[in-house]
Amino acid sequence: MIARDAWLLATGTLTAVRVPPPSRVDRPVAGLAMVLAPLAVLPLGIAAGALALLGSWLDLPPLAVAYVVVLALALGTRAFHWDGLADTADGLTASYSAERSLEVMRTGPVGPAGVVAVVLVAGLQAAALAPVIRHEHGWLALGLLVCASRACLAPACVRGVPAARTDGLGATHIGSVPVVGALATLALAVALVAVAGAALGSVWPPLAGVVLMVAAVVALVFRCVRRLGGITGDVLGAAVEVSFAVLVLAAAATP
């Protein structure tokens, strides 16, 4: 059944939750998996919200709790997306040759650009999470924002976006999502972020974050297509971490 396989693929790929392998992995399954991404990472959202709530009960410094949340999310994804962010940064700065850049992304150790990208984005996430966690219902908003950030994957994998190479984990997913599926996922993200904004006391700054998230993902995809000839699974990982940073930064602007 395609829905079951897509759910297992999304959960097994995007989280560290142990699930049975899907019986088939093809483009229809991969496309639906990307559409289901915000729902498949619900365990991560629950874990992040629970940590924020526990930190509030223990009266811990919000910034310290924020870093614990960032760490927990990294562990909950096997640091998969962080690896993608580092490889994407290294690839885009490695050479003017697309072939050389793709080779660096595939096999190279983390270079200076990758380290800087990870440190800056992780620091931005933690710094933005701290004021969100201070809110009475910040734990709820945080959990919803974690799920909403994964809505970036469907538009990044929409039909028409080329893959930079034919192999690799992302090759089956890239270009597999129909436009209506990408729009449905973004609609879900808007709903999740609106509820998060209501929990924080104002829906408008978080909703502006959705617009900025889409703009950031489009810019990243466009740059990689021009520079590499397409995108890879690493670019999808980078999109997730950048999207989460943008959403929590916008949420932090809530009074």
Side-chain angles (χ1 to χ4, degrees):
M1 183 177 179
I2 185 172
R4 176 182 181 275
D5 287 334
W7 182 262
L8 293 176
L9 179 61
T11 304
T13 302
L14 301 176
T15 76
V17 177
R18 300 186 66 178
V19 295
S23 59
R24 57 180 265 214
V25 178
D26 53 21
R27 290 184 69 77
V29 170
L32 183 56
M34 295 297 92
V35 171
L36 295 174
L39 300 177
V41 299
L42 183 59
L44 299 181
I46 292 174
L51 286 172
L53 186 59
L54 178 61
S56 177
W57 285 345
L58 296 177
D59 199 25
L60 297 176
L63 183 58
V65 176
Y67 271 106
V68 171
V69 169
V70 172
L71 173 61
L73 290 174
L75 294 175
T77 59
R78 310 179 195 90
F80 193 43
H81 307 314
W82 289 111
D83 179 69
L85 175 63
D87 286 344
T88 299
D90 283 335
L92 291 176
T93 58
S95 168
Y96 286 106
S97 165
E99 292 76 14
R100 172 57 182 161
S101 293
L102 289 170
E103 185 63 22
V104 168
M105 293 171 70
R106 183 204 299 266
T107 61
V110 178
V115 171
V116 170
V118 169
V119 170
L120 288 180
V121 176
L124 181 60
Q125 288 182 2
L129 279 173
V132 173
I133 291 172
R134 289 192 183 98
H135 282 265
E136 181 181 0
H137 298 103
W139 60 273
L140 175 59
L142 170 56
L144 293 170
L145 292 175
V146 169
C147 295
S149 65
R150 272 56 178 179
C152 71
L153 291 170
C157 292
V158 75
R159 289 175 183 169
V161 176
R165 52 176 180 250
T166 57
D167 59 345
L169 182 61
T172 306
H173 299 77
I174 297 164
S176 66
V177 178
V179 173
V180 65
L183 292 176
T185 305
L186 289 176
L188 174 60
V190 169
L192 293 173
V193 171
V195 176
L200 296 174
S202 176
V203 299
W204 298 115
L207 285 178
V210 178
V211 177
L212 294 174
M213 177 188 78
V214 173
V217 171
V218 169
L220 176 62
V221 169
F222 182 75
R223 172 59 177 161
C224 289
V225 169
R226 290 195 62 186
R227 179 71 175 71
L228 307 173
I231 68 171
T232 68
D234 286 328
V235 177
L236 298 179
V240 167
E241 296 302 342
V242 170
S243 293
F244 184 55
V246 169
L247 286 182
V248 295
L249 184 61
T254 304

